[in-house]
């Protein structure tokens, strides 16, 4: 019985060692995929930051336009009020 257990243990040990190359290939493949995904995430983060900056610029321009329109309307109201009899 002890000989059978020893033989099975030896066979499993040799089998585990034989799969090291395949395991290394799988790890390399997964590492490459993780690196590619990391690059994509970094690119998306850069695009998101650029979009956020564009949105902020558009918001500032819209606020400035609204302020200018309000000031223009007030000037027109003052001109119209001065011509009333």
């Amino acid at each position: 019985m002890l000989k059978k257990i020893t033989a099975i243990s030896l066979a499993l040990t040799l089998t585990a060692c034989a799969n090291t190359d395949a395991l290394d290939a799988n790890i390399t493949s997964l590492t490459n995929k993780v690196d590619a995904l990391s690059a994509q995430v970094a690119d998306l983060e850069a695009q998101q930051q650029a979009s956020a900056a564009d949105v902020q610029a558009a918001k500032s321009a819209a606020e400035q336009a609204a302020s200018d329109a309000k000031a223009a309307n007030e000037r027109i109201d003052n001109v119209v009020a001065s011509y009333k009899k």
Side-chain angles (χ1 to χ4, degrees), residues 16-36:
C17 291
N19 288 335
T20 303
D21 292 337
L23 181 61
D24 287 343
N26 285 339
I27 289 172
T28 301
S29 174
L30 290 174
T31 300
N32 291 339
K33 289 178 182 178
V34 168
D35 290 343

Side-chain angles (χ1 to χ4, degrees), residues 2 5 8 11 14-15 47-48 59-60 63-64 71 80 83:
L2 184 59
I5 293 174
I8 291 172
L14 292 175
T15 303
Q47 289 176 4
Q48 188 274 333
K59 182 179 176 182
S60 295
E63 289 172 350
Q64 183 63 41
V80 170
Y83 286 114

